[in-house]
Every structure is written in C-alpha cells, then in structure tokens.
Amino acid sequence: MKRWFNNPVLAGELKIRMRSWRTVLMIMGYLAIMLAIAYLFLETSMQTLSRYGSVNISRDLGLQLYTILAVIQFMLIIILIPAQTAGSISGEREKQTLDLLLCTPLSSLAIVLGKMLSSMSFVLLLTIASIPLFSLVFLFGGIAPMDIITLFVFYLITAFAVGSIGIFCSVLFKKTVTATVAAYIVIFALGIITLLLGAYMTSEFAGKNPHFSGVYIAFPFYLNPAIGLFDLLGQQSGGTGGVGLTILGVSSAMYNANVAMTGGLSWMAQKLGVWGTNSVVISVIAIILLLISAWVVKPVRVLKTHSSKRHSADASVN
Amino acid sequence: MLVVEDLVKRYDRFVAVDHLSMTVERGHVFGFVGPNGAGKTTTMRIAATLLAPTSGSVRVAGFDVMEEPIKVRRKIGYMPDFFGVYDNLKAMEYLDFYGASYGIPYKERQKTAEGLLNLVGLANKRDNYVDSLSRGMKQRLCLARSLMHDPELLILDEPASGMDPRARVELKNILKELKNMGKTILISSHILSELSEMCDSIGIIEHGRLVVSGDVKNIMETVSGRLTVRIKLLDDMDRAINILKEQPLVSDIFQEDDMLEIGYKGKDEDLWPLLKTLVASDVPIISFSKTDGNLEKVFMEVTQDEEMV
C-alpha cells in the first residue's frame, strides 16, 4: 500500500498538475458552477421559505439543495474525469515520454496506477474544495456531516470507475483526441444502455410476477453509478426529500428492513444496499480494466503459459 | 556486455531485423551505422526491453531482455532518437523524477542529479523549465537522465541528430568521459564520420542485416588495402564504365554526376596501365586521382544497392 502512494508517477503528475494555471482555473470554474446553481436555488426557495416558513419546509429545502449539489457535482465529475484520464497514457505517447518511463524498472501497473491516483486526487481536491458549499446544507438541517463524507467516498469510487474507462481508452488509442472521444462515448453509452436495459428487465419481471411485493433490481442497474447516487441520496433523505429511486419505480419502502429483494446480486444488495453493491460492482470492473490496461501498456509481454522462447506480439509498432 | 543472437523482428511482412548477431564487449564503444530504416532503432528498442523480438535473443550483462526485463532495465541507460520532455518540470526535477522511478532514495538522487548536470554542462540550468531549453540542451539532459541509475550499458540512438557542430563536439567529449568511466556504449548514427573517431568497433547494418562488423582499426586496414580512384570525365560516361567493368582489378564502380569512383584491388603500379587503357580508348579524362580509403567508403560499399551502377 505504501509503495502505491510512494509512486514517482503520481508524485510527478501531482507536481506538474498543481503547477499549471489550468488546474486553478478548473477548480475556480467548478466551484463557480456549483455556487451559481446553489445561489439560484436558494434565491428562489428562500421566498417560499419566508412565506410559508416552518421546520419541515426548511428541512426539505436543505435536502433539495443537498440533492441538487450532489447531482451537479456527480455530473461534473463524470464530465471532468474522462478528460483527465483519457490523455494520461496516450499523452505520454504523443509527447514521446512513454518509452522513457517504460524502460525504467517501474511496472506498467505502477505507471497506470500513478496516473489513476493522480486523477483521483484531483477529484478529491475538487470535492474537498466544495465542502464549504455543501455546508450550506447544514443551515437547513436534514443532512449529517457523515452523509456528506459517504457521498464523497461514493464520488471517489465513481471517479475510479469512470477514470479506469478513460485510462483504458488512453491505452487502446494512440491519440489523446480519439481516446477522449471514445471514453465519453463509452461512458455515456454505458450510462444509457444500463438504464434502458435495467428498465426493460424490470418491466419484464413485473409482467411475469404481477404479485411480487418486494423490490426487484436488475443487474445492469449496478453497472451505473447514477443509480448508486440516487439510491444513496434517497437513503440519506429518508426516501422523502431526495430524488431517490422513485424515478425507477422503486419506492422508499426498500429502505425499510425485511423487504424482499430479488434480481442479480440481491444477496449483496441486502447487505450493502443498492449503492454499496453498485460501488463494489463498478470497482471490480475498474480494477479489471486497470489490470488489462497495465498488461497492454507493458512493452514486452511474455505469456508464461507458453514456452519462454515464444513471445507475444509487442504493444506498439513503429 | 551485450550479446545479440540471431535476432529477427518482423512487422507483418516487413522484416526490420533479419537474423542479426553481434557482441559488444564490456567497456567498448560500439558504433551502429546504417541508412535510415536499416533496423538500428528496432534493434536498440529490443535491447532496451521496449519491443519483443520475433525470434532470437538479446542478453544484457547476462540477462535476457525477454525473461528478466527489470534486471536489464537496471543495467541499461536508453536514449531514444526522438523523445519528449514534460512541461512544467525543471531540469533538476526532471532528473529527480527518473531517479525516483529507479527507486533511488531522495538524497542520493539529488546528489547524482547535480553531478550529472555538471557532467553534461547544464549545472547553470538546473532550475530552468525543461521546455525552455534548446534542443541540444534537452538532448544532453536526456543523456544525463539515462545515467541517473549508473547503468553499465548506454544505448544511444542517434544522440547527435539535430545538434549543431558545437553541440556535437561537446557530446563527443561527454562520451569520451563516459568511456573513461568504464561505461559500455552502443551508439547509432546514419553518419559514419560522426562515429569513426570515438568508437572501438563498428557494425554496419542494412536491411536488418549486419553487413560488416569489427574493430575500427581492422576495418580501416581492410579499406586501405584497397585503392579508391576518382576519375573525372568530360563525356562518354557509359563507355568508360563499360571499359572499367572489363578490368579484372576493378572491384566496384560508383557514379556521381561527371565523376566515377572505383574500387581497385591492384597496387599503385597497376594504376597507370588502367589510365593508359582508358586514354587509349579515347575516353575524355580530365582528372584521375587516388583517394585515401575511409570509413565512409566501407559504408558506401556495403550499403551500395541501388546506388551501384
């Protein structure tokens, strides 16, 4: 573990990243967008509050603000991370620095992880920078500090999953532009396909089991971190204030104990909840993608199962 | 130090390296010469563990590049023909970054980096951003980078390309110093004269094959055992070539505008009958002179192909 964080690629990346004005401007832009949205929301809602002010409305407003901020931040991370990671390996290739890195004793996994952790630390920086904004929510109540920490952990897991797709594309495509476009297409296509497929499976299930009173969650939903986010938000707001899973036709009933759950991985969802299961599933996929990426980046790949004299094809042809 | 055995590298149908074998002795400077696209870079990349060979083997200090790449990487310092630098890193940090990649402790790598910046004459640029350095300086910095982990074998791919004459001289001096430090150096160039002075042995590669290799001295001797004659003509180039082709002692003929250059296996006293024959055949000769053999000649001879008449 210590070796991971004592990663020269990570240290170098952080140094280079934090030196550029682009990073500062990005953080400023990021916070400006969040602040503008929070301000607009509060400005319109405060009038409601001043007219019909009561503890309940105040609490709902807080939850709504929290949900809005959480969703915006989630979207910003989804939009920013591919741009951060899709250039990581292809950029080194374009700058002709990758070979220099590969002929050091650093393993290709260490290089890939260094890039990944550097992008994740950028997300961590963004989320930490947004804490003062999030603390606006505490003015209204309804959300505990622990909720925000859980949310941020979920952001990091999401960033890890989305980032691994970016890195994977960066390894597969030679040009950063192609890799970035491919990463966005894959991420958004996955987002839509998993939703549609999940919804289709849900309606299929409902058609076949008209008397089922529990909760059915189709497996594709676990591949989509947006589902995890809505579940988390729904859980945190007690299934009332937040968006929750109501959009998927799943009521807050499932947060009550003893609700029968079925569908793929329901055994895990029963223990970890939907967002927990979602985190596990996307993390596992991300780890697999990173391992494949490291394997592809490796310049000289020996298939151990074959005789040592036979070598696999090399990574780059030039 | 470096043993290449029957190395083959194929890209689909194109054969970049074709059954190449060679050995570089410890402490030697081996010049790797050949026209562009001959397979120099491919061979060097394989030796630098950046490319897998199709067949054959490369061993560095006894370690096979395929079986123990990490051990090989610790033994070699590789400087590619084209390389990039990171923006937003200072010269010192650049070296420090690579030092860290080799797992050298912070204090030690700082000391090594200072020493190397001195060696390559960039001590006064230590706090300059790398992208603000000139091309020659970047090349020297890259050389310093390849030395960070004190490798035994240096693989330098066209290190002098794009350097101005002054920078080339400086590079030569640095390489001499490295040789004195006992480093083994494999250096490539498509310009032979660049290498002839500083190499112990050279290998000439063409179409992926090593056509000539050996001691620079031996090769020079072989060449000087053969005469090169330059004949300048007013006209009648083709007739002159036909006559020359009939001469048993003429080994090869190169044509260059109105000039013919021939390899002649005879001795000095055999030369004048050749001139006599040409003059007797009414070939309009305006100049006939013997030139000293040099490495360029060997290079031209072994890489002749299309250029040959």
Side-chain angles (χ1 to χ4, degrees):
Chain A
M1 201 65 177
K2 193 187 163 199
R3 221 184 52 186
W4 284 15
F5 289 97
N6 195 6
N7 183 320
V9 178
L10 173 63
E13 281 280 309
L14 288 181
K15 189 181 276 178
I16 293 171
R17 193 190 286 267
M18 294 322 291
R19 237 175 216 169
S20 91
W21 275 103
R22 226 181 74 189
T23 306
V24 180
L25 290 176
M26 258 173 133
I27 298 174
M28 276 173 65
Y30 181 85
L31 291 179
I33 292 173
M34 299 245 317
L35 182 67
I37 290 166
Y39 176 79
L40 283 176
F41 174 77
L42 279 183
E43 192 58 22
T44 46
S45 314
M46 282 312 263
Q47 292 172 4
T48 324
L49 189 64
S50 61
R51 218 166 290 164
Y52 313 103
S54 78
V55 177
N56 262 341
I57 289 177
S58 163
R59 183 179 167 276
D60 283 357
L61 267 187
L63 286 175
Q64 280 168 13
L65 178 65
Y66 175 72
T67 307
I68 285 173
L69 285 178
V71 171
I72 297 292
Q73 185 150 35
F74 178 81
M75 280 161 58
L76 286 174
I77 288 171
I78 297 268
I79 290 167
L80 281 177
I81 279 289
Q84 296 284 315
T85 49
S88 57
I89 301 290
S90 57
E92 294 261 350
R93 215 179 271 138
E94 281 168 336
K95 272 188 286 176
Q96 296 179 311
T97 46
L98 186 63
D99 276 356
L100 299 181
L101 209 53
L102 288 175
C103 67
T104 67
L106 279 181
S107 71
S108 51
L109 187 63
I111 295 173
V112 166
L113 273 182
K115 296 283 180 191
M116 187 76 225
L117 289 176
S118 127
S119 302
M120 300 230 341
S121 38
F122 183 64
V123 171
L124 192 65
L125 180 67
L126 286 179
T127 46
I128 288 174
S130 71
I131 285 179
L133 263 171
F134 265 88
S135 58
L136 276 176
V137 173
F138 298 138
L139 292 176
F140 302 95
I143 288 296
M146 198 54 208
D147 291 337
I148 292 186
I149 291 171
T150 317
L151 178 70
F152 284 8
V153 169
F154 185 71
Y155 283 152
L156 280 180
I157 293 169
T158 305
F160 180 62
V162 175
S164 71
I165 295 176
I167 290 207
F168 186 65
C169 289
S170 190
V171 167
L172 284 193
F173 297 98
K174 292 214 160 161
K175 287 195 173 148
T176 300
V177 181
T178 329
T180 311
V181 172
Y184 279 116
I185 291 176
V186 169
I187 289 160
F188 286 104
L190 272 182
I192 292 166
I193 290 169
T194 48
L195 274 187
L196 292 180
L197 195 62
Y200 172 75
M201 285 168 74
T202 309
S203 65
E204 278 281 284
F205 181 83
K208 280 179 192 160
N209 306 282
H211 305 298
F212 182 69
S213 63
V215 177
Y216 169 80
I217 295 177
F219 178 73
F221 283 146
Y222 292 121
L223 296 171
N224 193 329
I227 301 294
L229 176 77
F230 289 133
D231 173 56
L232 180 64
L233 293 177
Q235 195 179 1
Q236 289 181 345
S237 56
T240 53
V243 182
L245 281 175
T246 41
I247 52 157
L248 297 168
V250 178
S251 74
S252 58
M254 65 171 285
Y255 301 119
N256 304 325
N258 308 325
V259 170
M261 273 187 94
T262 184
L265 292 181
S266 57
W267 56 272
M268 196 192 282
Q270 222 123 36
K271 279 183 194 145
L272 301 175
V274 174
W275 76 270
T277 311
N278 187 286
S279 304
V280 172
V281 171
I282 61 178
S283 300
V284 168
I285 291 172
I287 289 168
I288 293 170
L289 280 181
L290 286 182
L291 288 175
I292 297 174
S293 303
W295 166 256
V296 177
V297 165
K298 214 174 193 174
V300 173
R301 303 192 288 267
V302 187
L303 291 170
K304 294 266 170 154
T305 46
H306 292 262
S307 82
S308 59
K309 286 289 163 199
R310 283 178 59 192
H311 311 311
S312 72
D314 49 271
S316 62
V317 179
N318 54 36
Chain B
M1 188 70 214
L2 174 71
V3 182
V4 179
E5 267 173 13
D6 207 26
L7 184 69
V8 178
K9 178 68 199 176
R10 219 174 272 131
Y11 295 110
D12 295 326
R13 279 187 204 156
F14 175 67
V15 181
V17 179
D18 191 2
H19 298 283
L20 185 135
S21 297
M22 64 183 219
T23 307
V24 182
E25 302 287 332
R26 190 175 286 271
H28 269 214
V29 179
F30 188 93
F32 211 18
V33 207
N36 295 327
K40 296 178 303 239
T41 300
T42 308
T43 310
M44 288 177 139
R45 282 173 59 87
I46 293 172
T49 74
L50 291 173
L51 209 57
T54 310
S55 70
S57 75
V58 177
R59 265 174 291 133
V60 176
F63 299 116
D64 189 284
V65 291
M66 288 301 293
E67 267 144 43
E68 292 172 291
I70 303 288
K71 282 182 181 159
V72 171
R73 284 174 198 162
R74 292 198 178 275
K75 296 281 179 193
I76 57 163
Y78 171 61
M79 180 174 166
D81 47 353
F82 297 105
F83 61 91
V85 291
Y86 296 102
D87 309 334
N88 285 324
L89 267 194
K90 293 170 182 171
M92 186 66 188
E93 293 166 345
Y94 178 78
L95 293 182
D96 184 76
F97 170 68
Y98 285 101
S101 304
Y102 281 95
I104 305 166
Y106 179 76
K107 274 189 183 160
E108 199 183 319
R109 63 183 194 245
Q110 288 283 319
K111 219 175 106 191
T112 315
E114 297 276 4
L116 287 173
L117 284 176
N118 270 325
L119 175 77
V120 299
L122 289 173
N124 58 339
K125 300 281 179 193
R126 75 186 289 279
D127 290 324
N128 286 42
Y129 282 100
V130 178
D131 47 344
S132 71
L133 301 180
S134 72
R135 189 184 155 90
M137 287 179 188
K138 277 182 199 164
Q139 258 155 326
R140 274 184 282 157
L141 184 66
C142 189
L143 181 64
R145 177 202 58 81
S146 65
L147 288 162
M148 272 307 282
H149 55 298
D150 196 23
E152 290 171 34
L153 171 69
L154 275 174
I155 299 177
L156 311 175
D157 196 356
E158 304 260 359
S161 69
M163 280 188 171
D164 58 41
R166 193 192 164 79
R168 276 165 202 253
V169 172
E170 281 168 356
L171 178 75
K172 267 182 204 173
N173 290 336
I174 296 171
L175 291 180
K176 267 180 207 157
E177 209 156 316
L178 289 173
K179 197 195 163 188
N180 292 337
M181 287 159 70
K183 305 269 181 220
T184 311
I185 303 173
L186 173 64
I187 179 171
S188 81
S189 174
H190 61 280
I191 306 164
L192 196 71
S193 53
E194 240 172 47
L195 295 180
S196 50
E197 296 166 42
M198 53 182 157
C199 294
D200 299 302
S201 38
I202 59 164
I204 298 178
I205 182 172
E206 206 203 7
H207 297 312
R209 264 173 299 214
L210 200 63
V211 265
V212 170
S213 88
D215 250 8
V216 172
K217 275 181 209 154
N218 286 346
I219 288 177
M220 291 293 242
E221 270 164 26
T222 330
V223 179
S224 51
R226 190 186 296 181
L227 298 174
T228 304
V229 181
R230 284 188 171 185
I231 305 167
K232 207 167 181 180
L233 300 167
L234 269 183
D235 204 357
D236 274 349
M237 195 64 84
D238 294 339
R239 199 150 59 87
I241 290 168
N242 284 332
I243 296 168
L244 286 169
K245 274 186 177 167
E246 286 164 17
Q247 304 297 315
L249 292 175
V250 173
S251 56
D252 33 45
I253 309 164
F254 300 100
Q255 185 181 353
E256 217 184 304
D257 298 330
D258 58 345
M259 177 94 82
L260 285 178
E261 215 171 81
I262 60 167
Y264 199 63
K265 284 181 268 182
K267 296 201 171 80
D268 278 8
E269 52 267 37
D270 301 322
L271 266 182
W272 81 267
L274 176 71
L275 177 60
K276 206 166 80 176
T277 318
L278 285 171
V279 174
S281 317
D282 277 341
V283 176
I285 294 182
I286 52 167
S287 147
F288 185 94
S289 59
K290 197 185 85 176
T291 57
D292 291 329
N294 58 18
L295 278 177
E296 299 282 347
K297 205 89 282 139
V298 191
F299 183 62
M300 289 306 287
E301 275 175 30
V302 296
T303 62
Q304 40 194 278
D305 257 5
E306 295 93 53
E307 287 94 349
M308 194 179 166
V309 180

